Amino acid sequence: AALGLIGCRITIPLPPRVSSCVLGNALQREGWLLSYQSKYLVERNWIQICLLGHAERADLEPLPRLLAARLNT
């Protein structure tokens, strides 16, 4: 089912032990393109999930589990 999101941005502050660049690169290798490389985000150790247009729930469901797994290692 479509979530009906248009122009949604979610900012996730990461704990100091997790580098936003390392996490962002790892997620990119798995096919997820998140915002994490700007000076502003790097300085704050944040990543951003940006959704443009309609998103299918099934397409997004793996992301929270993947983030949790990466944050708990």
Side-chain angles (χ1 to χ4, degrees):
L3 298 176
L5 299 173
I6 298 176
C8 174
R9 178 177 60 209
I10 301 165
T11 301
I12 303 171
L14 299 174
R17 64 179 172 75
V18 177
S19 164
S20 59
C21 290
V22 171
L23 178 61
N25 287 332
L27 293 172
Q28 186 169 339
R29 285 191 298 276
E30 301 210 24
W32 296 95
L33 301 178
L34 306 179
S35 298
Y36 64 94
Q37 295 177 320
S38 74
K39 182 179 177 184
Y40 180 84
L41 294 173
V42 170
E43 286 175 349
R44 289 160 178 78
N45 202 37
W46 292 354
I47 60 172
Q48 289 183 329
I49 301 168
C50 301
L51 302 175
L52 301 174
H54 293 280
E56 295 293 327
R57 182 179 300 276
D59 293 335
L60 298 174
E61 282 180 351
L63 186 55
R65 287 188 299 276
L66 185 57
L67 279 170
R70 294 282 181 177
L71 291 172
N72 290 323
T73 59

Coordinates of all heavy atoms in Angstrom, one line a residue:
A1 N 0.8 -1.2 0.0 CA 0.0 0.0 0.0 C 0.9 1.2 0.0 O 1.9 1.3 0.7 CB -0.9 0.0 1.2
A2 N 0.5 2.2 -0.8 CA 1.2 3.5 -0.8 C 1.0 4.2 0.5 O -0.1 4.3 1.1 CB 0.8 4.3 -2.0
L3 N 2.1 4.9 1.0 CA 2.0 5.7 2.2 C 1.5 7.1 1.9 O 1.1 7.8 2.8 CB 3.4 5.7 2.9 CG 3.9 4.4 3.3 CD1 5.3 4.6 3.9 CD2 3.0 3.8 4.4
G4 N 1.5 7.5 0.6 CA 1.0 8.8 0.3 C 1.9 9.9 0.7 O 1.4 11.0 0.9
L5 N 3.2 9.7 1.0 CA 4.1 10.7 1.4 C 4.6 11.5 0.3 O 5.1 10.9 -0.7 CB 5.2 10.1 2.2 CG 4.8 9.3 3.5 CD1 6.1 8.6 4.1 CD2 4.2 10.2 4.5
I6 N 4.6 12.8 0.3 CA 5.2 13.6 -0.7 C 6.1 14.6 0.1 O 5.6 15.4 0.8 CB 4.2 14.3 -1.5 CG1 3.3 13.3 -2.3 CG2 4.8 15.3 -2.5 CD1 2.2 13.8 -3.1
G7 N 7.4 14.6 -0.2 CA 8.3 15.5 0.4 C 8.5 15.3 1.9 O 8.5 16.2 2.7
C8 N 8.7 14.1 2.3 CA 9.0 13.8 3.8 C 10.5 13.6 4.0 O 11.2 13.0 3.3 CB 8.2 12.4 4.1 SG 8.6 11.8 5.7
R9 N 10.9 14.2 5.1 CA 12.3 14.1 5.5 C 12.4 13.7 7.0 O 11.8 14.4 7.8 CB 13.1 15.4 5.3 CG 14.5 15.3 5.7 CD 15.3 16.6 5.5 NE 14.7 17.7 6.2 CZ 14.7 18.9 5.8 NH1 15.3 19.3 4.7 NH2 14.2 19.9 6.5
I10 N 13.1 12.7 7.3 CA 13.3 12.2 8.6 C 14.8 12.3 9.0 O 15.7 11.7 8.3 CB 12.9 10.7 8.8 CG1 11.4 10.6 8.4 CG2 13.1 10.2 10.2 CD1 10.9 9.2 8.1
T11 N 15.1 13.0 10.0 CA 16.5 13.2 10.5 C 16.7 12.3 11.7 O 16.0 12.3 12.6 CB 16.8 14.7 10.9 OG1 16.5 15.5 9.7 CG2 18.2 14.9 11.3
I12 N 17.8 11.5 11.6 CA 18.2 10.6 12.7 C 19.5 10.9 13.2 O 20.6 10.8 12.6 CB 18.2 9.1 12.1 CG1 16.8 8.8 11.5 CG2 18.6 8.2 13.2 CD1 16.8 7.5 10.8
P13 N 19.6 11.4 14.5 CA 20.9 11.7 15.1 C 21.4 10.3 15.6 O 20.7 9.5 16.2 CB 20.5 12.6 16.3 CG 19.1 12.3 16.6 CD 18.4 11.8 15.3
L14 N 22.7 10.1 15.3 CA 23.3 8.8 15.7 C 24.2 9.0 16.9 O 24.7 10.1 17.2 CB 24.2 8.4 14.5 CG 23.5 8.2 13.2 CD1 24.5 7.9 12.1 CD2 22.5 7.1 13.3
P15 N 24.3 7.9 17.7 CA 25.2 7.9 18.8 C 26.6 8.1 18.4 O 27.0 7.8 17.3 CB 24.9 6.5 19.5 CG 24.4 5.7 18.4 CD 23.7 6.6 17.4
P16 N 27.4 8.7 19.3 CA 28.8 9.0 18.9 C 29.6 7.8 18.5 O 30.5 7.9 17.7 CB 29.4 9.5 20.2 CG 28.3 10.0 21.0 CD 27.1 9.2 20.6
R17 N 29.3 6.6 18.9 CA 30.0 5.4 18.5 C 29.7 4.9 17.1 O 30.4 4.1 16.5 CB 29.7 4.2 19.5 CG 28.2 3.8 19.4 CD 27.9 2.6 20.4 NE 26.5 2.3 20.5 CZ 25.8 1.7 19.5 NH1 26.4 1.3 18.4 NH2 24.5 1.5 19.7
V18 N 28.7 5.6 16.4 CA 28.3 5.2 15.1 C 28.6 6.4 14.2 O 28.0 7.5 14.4 CB 26.9 4.8 15.0 CG1 26.5 4.5 13.5 CG2 26.6 3.6 15.9
S19 N 29.5 6.3 13.2 CA 29.8 7.3 12.2 C 28.7 7.4 11.2 O 28.4 6.4 10.5 CB 31.1 7.1 11.6 OG 31.3 7.9 10.4
S20 N 28.2 8.6 11.0 CA 27.1 8.8 9.9 C 27.7 8.5 8.6 O 27.0 7.9 7.7 CB 26.6 10.2 10.0 OG 27.6 11.2 9.8
C21 N 29.0 8.8 8.3 CA 29.6 8.5 7.0 C 29.7 7.0 6.8 O 29.4 6.4 5.7 CB 30.9 9.2 6.9 SG 30.7 11.0 6.7
V22 N 30.2 6.3 7.8 CA 30.4 4.8 7.7 C 29.0 4.1 7.5 O 28.8 3.3 6.7 CB 31.1 4.3 9.0 CG1 31.1 2.7 9.0 CG2 32.5 4.8 9.0
L23 N 28.0 4.5 8.3 CA 26.7 4.0 8.2 C 26.1 4.3 6.9 O 25.5 3.4 6.2 CB 25.8 4.5 9.3 CG 24.3 4.0 9.3 CD1 24.2 2.5 9.4 CD2 23.5 4.6 10.4
G24 N 26.2 5.6 6.4 CA 25.6 6.0 5.1 C 26.2 5.2 4.0 O 25.5 4.8 3.1
N25 N 27.5 5.0 4.0 CA 28.2 4.2 3.0 C 27.8 2.8 3.0 O 27.5 2.2 1.9 CB 29.7 4.3 3.2 CG 30.3 5.7 2.8 OD1 29.8 6.4 1.9 ND2 31.4 6.0 3.4
A26 N 27.6 2.2 4.2 CA 27.2 0.8 4.3 C 25.7 0.7 3.7 O 25.5 -0.3 2.9 CB 27.2 0.3 5.7
L27 N 24.9 1.6 4.0 CA 23.5 1.5 3.5 C 23.5 1.7 2.0 O 22.7 1.1 1.3 CB 22.6 2.5 4.3 CG 22.4 2.2 5.8 CD1 21.7 3.4 6.4 CD2 21.6 0.9 5.9
Q28 N 24.3 2.6 1.5 CA 24.4 2.9 0.1 C 24.8 1.6 -0.6 O 24.2 1.3 -1.7 CB 25.3 4.0 -0.2 CG 25.3 4.4 -1.7 CD 26.1 5.7 -1.9 OE1 26.3 6.5 -1.0 NE2 26.4 5.9 -3.2
R29 N 25.7 0.8 -0.1 CA 26.1 -0.4 -0.7 C 25.0 -1.4 -0.8 O 25.0 -2.3 -1.6 CB 27.3 -1.0 0.0 CG 28.7 -0.3 -0.2 CD 29.8 -1.1 0.3 NE 29.8 -1.3 1.7 CZ 30.3 -0.4 2.6 NH1 30.8 0.7 2.2 NH2 30.2 -0.7 3.9
E30 N 24.0 -1.3 0.1 CA 22.9 -2.1 0.2 C 21.7 -1.6 -0.6 O 20.6 -2.1 -0.6 CB 22.4 -2.4 1.6 CG 23.6 -3.1 2.4 CD 23.1 -4.0 3.5 OE1 22.0 -4.5 3.4 OE2 23.9 -4.2 4.4
G31 N 21.9 -0.5 -1.3 CA 20.9 0.1 -2.2 C 20.1 1.2 -1.7 O 19.1 1.7 -2.3
W32 N 20.4 1.7 -0.5 CA 19.6 2.8 0.2 C 20.4 4.1 0.0 O 21.6 4.2 0.5 CB 19.4 2.5 1.6 CG 18.5 1.3 1.9 CD1 19.0 0.1 2.1 CD2 17.1 1.3 1.8 NE1 17.9 -0.8 2.2 CE2 16.7 0.0 2.1 CE3 16.1 2.2 1.6 CZ2 15.4 -0.5 2.1 CZ3 14.8 1.8 1.7 CH2 14.5 0.5 1.9
L33 N 19.9 5.1 -0.6 CA 20.5 6.4 -0.8 C 20.0 7.4 0.2 O 18.9 7.9 0.0 CB 20.3 6.9 -2.2 CG 20.8 5.9 -3.3 CD1 20.5 6.5 -4.7 CD2 22.3 5.7 -3.2
L34 N 20.7 7.6 1.2 CA 20.3 8.5 2.3 C 21.2 9.8 2.2 O 22.3 9.7 1.7 CB 20.5 7.9 3.7 CG 19.8 6.5 3.9 CD1 20.1 6.0 5.3 CD2 18.3 6.6 3.6
S35 N 20.8 10.8 2.8 CA 21.6 12.0 2.9 C 22.5 11.9 4.2 O 21.9 11.6 5.3 CB 20.7 13.3 3.0 OG 19.9 13.4 1.9
Y36 N 23.8 12.1 4.0 CA 24.7 12.0 5.2 C 26.0 12.6 4.9 O 26.9 12.8 5.8 CB 24.9 10.5 5.5 CG 25.6 9.7 4.5 CD1 27.0 9.5 4.4 CD2 24.8 9.1 3.4 CE1 27.6 8.8 3.4 CE2 25.4 8.4 2.5 CZ 26.8 8.2 2.4 OH 27.4 7.5 1.5
Q37 N 26.3 13.1 3.7 CA 27.6 13.6 3.3 C 27.8 15.1 3.4 O 28.9 15.5 3.3 CB 27.9 13.1 1.9 CG 28.0 11.6 1.8 CD 28.3 11.2 0.3 OE1 27.7 11.7 -0.6 NE2 29.1 10.2 0.2
S38 N 26.8 15.9 3.6 CA 27.0 17.3 3.7 C 27.7 17.7 4.9 O 27.7 16.9 5.9 CB 25.6 18.0 3.7 OG 25.0 17.9 4.9
K39 N 28.4 18.8 4.9 CA 29.2 19.2 6.1 C 28.3 19.4 7.3 O 28.6 19.0 8.4 CB 29.9 20.5 5.7 CG 30.7 21.1 6.9 CD 31.4 22.4 6.5 CE 32.2 22.9 7.7 NZ 32.8 24.2 7.4
Y40 N 27.1 19.9 7.1 CA 26.1 20.1 8.2 C 25.8 18.8 8.8 O 25.8 18.7 10.1 CB 24.9 20.8 7.6 CG 23.8 21.1 8.6 CD1 23.8 22.2 9.3 CD2 22.7 20.2 8.8 CE1 22.8 22.5 10.3 CE2 21.7 20.5 9.7 CZ 21.8 21.6 10.4 OH 20.8 21.9 11.3
L41 N 25.5 17.8 8.0 CA 25.1 16.5 8.6 C 26.3 15.8 9.2 O 26.1 15.2 10.3 CB 24.4 15.6 7.5 CG 23.1 16.1 7.0 CD1 22.6 15.3 5.8 CD2 22.0 16.2 8.0
V42 N 27.4 15.8 8.6 CA 28.6 15.1 9.1 C 29.0 15.7 10.5 O 29.3 15.0 11.4 CB 29.8 15.2 8.1 CG1 31.1 14.8 8.8 CG2 29.5 14.4 6.9
E43 N 29.0 17.1 10.6 CA 29.3 17.7 11.8 C 28.4 17.3 13.0 O 28.8 17.3 14.1 CB 29.3 19.2 11.7 CG 30.4 19.8 10.9 CD 30.3 21.3 10.6 OE1 29.2 21.9 10.9 OE2 31.3 21.9 10.2
R44 N 27.2 17.0 12.7 CA 26.2 16.6 13.7 C 26.0 15.1 13.9 O 25.3 14.7 14.8 CB 24.9 17.3 13.4 CG 24.9 18.8 13.6 CD 23.8 19.5 12.8 NE 23.9 20.9 13.1 CZ 24.7 21.8 12.6 NH1 25.6 21.3 11.7 NH2 24.7 23.0 12.9
N45 N 26.7 14.4 13.0 CA 26.6 12.9 13.0 C 25.1 12.5 12.8 O 24.6 11.6 13.5 CB 27.2 12.3 14.3 CG 27.6 10.8 14.1 OD1 28.0 10.5 13.0 ND2 27.4 10.0 15.1
W46 N 24.5 13.1 11.8 CA 23.1 12.8 11.5 C 23.0 12.1 10.1 O 23.9 12.4 9.2 CB 22.3 14.1 11.4 CG 22.1 14.8 12.7 CD1 22.4 14.5 13.9 CD2 21.4 16.1 12.8 NE1 22.0 15.4 14.8 CE2 21.4 16.5 14.1 CE3 20.9 17.0 11.8 CZ2 20.9 17.6 14.6 CZ3 20.4 18.2 12.3 CH2 20.4 18.5 13.7
I47 N 22.0 11.3 9.9 CA 21.6 10.9 8.6 C 20.2 11.3 8.3 O 19.4 11.6 9.3 CB 21.8 9.4 8.4 CG1 20.9 8.6 9.4 CG2 23.2 8.9 8.5 CD1 20.8 7.1 9.1
Q48 N 19.8 11.5 7.1 CA 18.5 11.8 6.7 C 17.9 10.9 5.7 O 18.6 10.5 4.7 CB 18.4 13.3 6.2 CG 18.7 14.3 7.2 CD 18.5 15.7 6.7 OE1 18.8 16.0 5.5 NE2 18.1 16.6 7.6
I49 N 16.6 10.5 5.9 CA 15.9 9.8 5.0 C 14.9 10.8 4.3 O 14.1 11.4 5.0 CB 15.1 8.6 5.7 CG1 16.0 7.7 6.4 CG2 14.2 7.9 4.6 CD1 15.3 6.8 7.4
C50 N 15.0 10.9 3.0 CA 14.2 11.8 2.3 C 13.3 11.0 1.3 O 13.8 10.3 0.5 CB 15.0 12.8 1.5 SG 16.1 13.8 2.6
L51 N 12.0 11.2 1.4 CA 11.1 10.6 0.4 C 10.4 11.6 -0.4 O 9.9 12.6 0.1 CB 10.0 9.8 1.2 CG 10.5 8.7 2.2 CD1 9.4 8.1 3.0 CD2 11.3 7.6 1.5
L52 N 10.5 11.4 -1.7 CA 9.9 12.3 -2.7 C 8.9 11.5 -3.5 O 9.2 10.5 -4.0 CB 10.9 13.0 -3.6 CG 12.0 13.8 -2.8 CD1 13.0 14.3 -3.8 CD2 11.4 15.0 -2.1
G53 N 7.7 12.0 -3.6 CA 6.6 11.2 -4.3 C 6.0 10.2 -3.4 O 6.0 10.3 -2.2
H54 N 5.4 9.2 -4.0 CA 4.6 8.2 -3.3 C 5.6 7.1 -2.9 O 6.4 6.6 -3.8 CB 3.5 7.7 -4.1 CG 2.4 8.7 -4.2 ND1 1.5 9.0 -3.2 CD2 2.1 9.5 -5.2 CE1 0.7 9.9 -3.6 NE2 1.0 10.3 -4.8
A55 N 5.5 6.6 -1.7 CA 6.4 5.5 -1.3 C 5.5 4.3 -1.0 O 4.4 4.4 -0.3 CB 7.1 5.9 0.0
E56 N 5.9 3.1 -1.4 CA 5.2 1.9 -1.1 C 5.8 1.3 0.2 O 7.0 1.2 0.5 CB 5.5 0.8 -2.2 CG 4.8 1.2 -3.5 CD 3.3 1.3 -3.5 OE1 2.7 0.5 -2.8 OE2 2.8 2.1 -4.2
R57 N 4.9 1.0 1.1 CA 5.2 0.5 2.5 C 6.2 -0.7 2.3 O 7.2 -0.8 3.0 CB 4.0 0.1 3.2 CG 4.3 -0.4 4.6 CD 3.0 -0.8 5.4 NE 2.1 0.3 5.5 CZ 2.2 1.3 6.5 NH1 3.2 1.2 7.4 NH2 1.4 2.2 6.6
A58 N 5.9 -1.6 1.4 CA 6.7 -2.8 1.2 C 8.2 -2.5 0.8 O 9.1 -3.2 1.2 CB 6.1 -3.7 0.2
D59 N 8.3 -1.4 0.1 CA 9.7 -1.0 -0.3 C 10.5 -0.4 0.9 O 11.7 -0.5 0.9 CB 9.6 0.1 -1.4 CG 9.1 -0.5 -2.7 OD1 9.2 -1.7 -2.9 OD2 8.5 0.3 -3.5
L60 N 9.8 0.2 1.8 CA 10.5 0.8 3.0 C 10.6 -0.1 4.2 O 11.4 0.2 5.1 CB 9.7 2.1 3.4 CG 9.6 3.2 2.3 CD1 8.7 4.3 2.7 CD2 11.0 3.7 1.9
E61 N 9.8 -1.1 4.3 CA 9.8 -2.0 5.5 C 11.2 -2.5 5.9 O 11.5 -2.6 7.1 CB 8.8 -3.1 5.4 CG 7.4 -2.6 5.6 CD 6.4 -3.7 5.5 OE1 6.7 -4.9 5.0 OE2 5.2 -3.5 5.8
P62 N 12.1 -2.8 5.0 CA 13.4 -3.4 5.4 C 14.3 -2.3 6.1 O 15.2 -2.7 6.8 CB 14.1 -3.8 4.1 CG 12.9 -4.0 3.1 CD 11.9 -3.0 3.5
L63 N 14.1 -1.0 5.8 CA 15.0 0.0 6.3 C 15.1 0.1 7.8 O 16.2 0.1 8.3 CB 14.7 1.3 5.6 CG 15.7 2.5 6.0 CD1 17.1 2.1 5.6 CD2 15.3 3.7 5.3
P64 N 14.0 0.1 8.5 CA 14.2 0.2 10.0 C 14.9 -1.0 10.6 O 15.7 -0.8 11.5 CB 12.7 0.2 10.5 CG 11.9 0.7 9.4 CD 12.6 0.2 8.1
R65 N 14.7 -2.2 10.1 CA 15.4 -3.4 10.6 C 16.9 -3.3 10.2 O 17.7 -3.6 11.1 CB 14.8 -4.6 10.0 CG 13.4 -5.0 10.6 CD 13.0 -6.4 10.1 NE 12.8 -6.5 8.7 CZ 11.7 -6.1 8.0 NH1 10.7 -5.6 8.7 NH2 11.6 -6.3 6.7
L66 N 17.2 -2.8 9.1 CA 18.6 -2.7 8.6 C 19.3 -1.6 9.5 O 20.4 -1.8 9.9 CB 18.6 -2.3 7.2 CG 20.0 -2.2 6.5 CD1 20.7 -3.5 6.6 CD2 19.8 -1.9 5.0
L67 N 18.6 -0.5 9.7 CA 19.2 0.5 10.6 C 19.4 0.0 12.0 O 20.5 0.2 12.6 CB 18.3 1.8 10.7 CG 18.4 2.7 9.5 CD1 17.2 3.7 9.6 CD2 19.7 3.4 9.5
A68 N 18.5 -0.7 12.6 CA 18.6 -1.3 13.9 C 19.8 -2.2 14.0 O 20.5 -2.2 14.9 CB 17.3 -2.0 14.3
A69 N 19.9 -3.1 13.0 CA 21.0 -4.1 13.0 C 22.3 -3.4 12.9 O 23.3 -3.7 13.6 CB 20.8 -5.0 11.8
R70 N 22.4 -2.3 12.1 CA 23.7 -1.6 12.0 C 24.0 -0.8 13.3 O 25.2 -0.6 13.6 CB 23.6 -0.6 10.8 CG 23.6 -1.3 9.5 CD 24.9 -1.8 9.1 NE 24.8 -2.4 7.8 CZ 25.9 -2.9 7.1 NH1 27.0 -2.9 7.7 NH2 25.7 -3.5 6.0
L71 N 23.0 -0.3 13.9 CA 23.2 0.5 15.2 C 23.6 -0.4 16.4 O 24.1 0.1 17.3 CB 22.0 1.3 15.5 CG 21.8 2.5 14.5 CD1 20.5 3.2 14.8 CD2 22.9 3.5 14.5
N72 N 23.2 -1.7 16.3 CA 23.4 -2.6 17.4 C 24.6 -3.4 17.3 O 24.8 -4.4 18.0 CB 22.1 -3.5 17.6 CG 21.0 -2.6 18.2 OD1 21.1 -1.7 19.0 ND2 19.8 -2.9 17.7
T73 N 25.5 -3.1 16.3 CA 26.7 -3.9 16.2 C 27.9 -3.3 16.8 O 27.9 -2.1 17.1 CB 27.0 -4.2 14.7 OG1 27.1 -2.9 14.0 CG2 25.9 -5.0 14.0

